[in-house]
Amino acid sequence: MTSRGKGAPVLTSVSDSVADPVFELHSGGKLSVQSTVPLATREDLSLAYTPGVARVCEAIAADESLVHSLTWVGKAVAVVTDGSAVLGLGNIGPRAAMPVMEGKAVLFKQFGGVDAVPICLDTQDPDEIVRIVTALAPSFGGINLEDISAPRCFDIERRLEAALPIPVFHDDQHGTAIVVLAALRNACRVLGRGLGDLRIVVSGAGAAGVAVTRMLISGGADAGEIIVLDSRGCLHGGRTDLNPAKAALAADTNAGGVTGDIASALRGADVLIGVSGGTIGEAALAGMAPDGAIFALANPTPEVHPEIAARYAGVVATGRSDFPNQINNVLAFPGIFRGALEAGATRITDGMKVAAAAAIAAVLSPGELAPDTIVPSALDPRVAPAVAAAVAEAARRDGAIR
């Protein structure tokens, strides 16, 4: 075993990990394939495989839509990554990403009843990723993109959405955004505010920051009263150094043309949403309007420690499970895909995302809502069925079904 500075020890061999419960749990992986049909007799074998299976193949060849009901395709999702932006670890590659993708598949099954297969691609070329996923798509009813770095993730998702007749969903973008919208809606209920009346600052203009901003606008926030920041400061129409995704945000937000750093953006703001990492100083927070909300979502180290955030906001949320109000994607993606698959959805629309956020928020009754309870627990069994039902209804309403 070796150590890296003051951090946790780095395991350099299997023997080092014997007493570590994390490594014990991961030994041999977290997934297996289990048959849903018996194979106890010759008749069982002839029905499940040859010769009986040939009749099913012929039926699907004559009507390809039957693949969704006569195979597992209608309830299976591919969890696809290139390992370029894994958790807070960065670009660690496809092999090191596999434990996270396995974990994602476990969450899909546990919370949504959806079968998911982790696929870690040994390429970070967008053209190759689109080509490979397109070729794999007939085996799945949906594609969950995971831990692919910005800005490549925007283009990859857009191209796959255009190419495939099944839902494509980049969870790092939209899962986070959906849960943020749900949490902010309930924060408004606690604080007695209206979503459309808030001045909102989003610190971070990567995959999550862009999606959070778009989702808040779709959910009823005033685009002109949202200021988004990247590492160089506020996004505004006068900046010439922005990629297309950031330039589009700059055109749609910050109607007042605020420039400068986070302190300038936070002056008079009601809400801070941090999705960038780094640290936001207390002096900047002091400029916020009273009785607002701070969502410091960087993981494992929030942009603002919750104890400090509580000095300047009436509601505080983080991305961590050891503090109240965890903004956890698991509240969204299992139910979203379950609903999309059950409805036979061909895509995930903005209406389906907003419906998912509303369903998550509505799980908590008025008696359950409190400053330290604005979202359900990630383990709340009410969440996935509620989200699935809302998403399926929205898919039908939006005409996004087969």
Side-chain angles (χ1 to χ4, degrees), residues 114-137:
V114 173
D115 293 309
V117 178
I119 298 174
C120 301
L121 302 178
D122 195 9
T123 178
Q124 294 184 357
D125 177 73
D127 293 338
E128 278 288 286
I129 293 171
V130 170
R131 183 187 67 79
I132 293 168
V133 174
T134 300
L136 289 171

Side-chain angles (χ1 to χ4, degrees), residues 15 62 94 123-124 181 190 222 231 253 278-279 282 292 296 304 311 352:
S15 61
T123 178
Q124 294 184 357
L181 176 58
V190 169
D222 183 345
S231 60
T253 60
T279 301
E282 195 166 352
V304 183
R311 300 172 191 168
M352 293 161 71

Side-chain angles (χ1 to χ4, degrees), residues 37-318:
V37 297
L39 289 178
T41 67
R42 288 171 60 89
E43 183 181 10
D44 291 340
L45 187 60
S46 68
L47 292 172
Y49 201 56
T50 185
V53 73
R55 293 173 54 198
V56 179
C57 295
E58 290 171 337
I60 295 172
D63 180 0
E64 290 190 346
S65 69
L66 292 175
V67 73
H68 295 279
S69 59
L70 294 177
T71 74
W72 85 330
V73 165
K75 60 177 183 177
V77 170
V79 180
V80 180
T81 188
D82 64 357
S84 60
V86 181
L87 301 178
L89 303 174
N91 189 355
I92 60 174
R95 291 170 183 81
M98 179 56 82
V100 177
M101 303 308 121
E102 282 189 346
K104 195 81 171 190
V106 171
L107 296 175
F108 264 112
K109 187 66 173 180
Q110 179 69 29
F111 295 110
V114 173
D115 293 309
V117 178
I119 298 174
C120 301
L121 302 178
D122 195 9
T123 178
Q124 294 184 357
D125 177 73
D127 293 338
E128 278 288 286
I129 293 171
V130 170
R131 183 187 67 79
I132 293 168
V133 174
T134 300
L136 289 171
S139 297
F140 299 98
I143 305 294
N144 182 93
L145 300 175
E146 192 76 22
D147 291 346
I148 298 174
S149 64
R152 295 178 310 118
C153 61
F154 304 123
D155 180 56
I156 290 169
E157 183 185 44
R158 178 187 58 78
R159 291 168 62 186
L160 286 173
E161 285 178 331
L164 299 179
I166 57 176
V168 177
F169 184 83
H170 185 203
D171 186 52
D172 304 291
Q173 294 183 60
H174 310 300
T176 300
I178 288 164
V179 182
V180 166
L181 176 58
L184 192 54
R185 281 184 165 177
N186 277 349
C188 287
R189 293 166 65 190
V190 169
L191 298 170
R193 310 287 293 275
L195 182 60
D197 301 325
L198 300 176
R199 290 192 61 194
I200 301 170
V201 172
V202 179
S203 177
V210 171
V212 164
T213 304
R214 294 295 181 194
M215 182 57 49
L216 292 177
I217 295 169
S218 294
D222 183 345
E225 292 297 321
I226 300 176
I227 300 173
V228 184
L229 295 96
D230 64 7
S231 60
R232 298 185 180 183
C234 298
L235 303 190
H236 57 84
R239 286 187 49 180
T240 59
D241 60 337
L242 304 178
N243 65 39
K246 292 181 183 181
L249 271 190
D252 293 340
T253 60
N254 193 5
V258 176
T259 62
D261 60 9
I262 188 71
S264 301
L266 284 175
R267 199 166 294 122
D270 301 298
V271 177
L272 166 63
I273 299 172
V275 285
S276 62
T279 301
I280 297 175
E282 195 166 352
L285 302 177
M288 294 183 66
D291 298 321
I294 295 176
F295 294 0
L297 305 184
N299 220 343
T301 305
E303 294 88 348
V304 183
H305 192 279
E307 291 180 2
I308 295 175
R311 300 172 191 168
Y312 302 96
V315 172
V316 176
T318 73

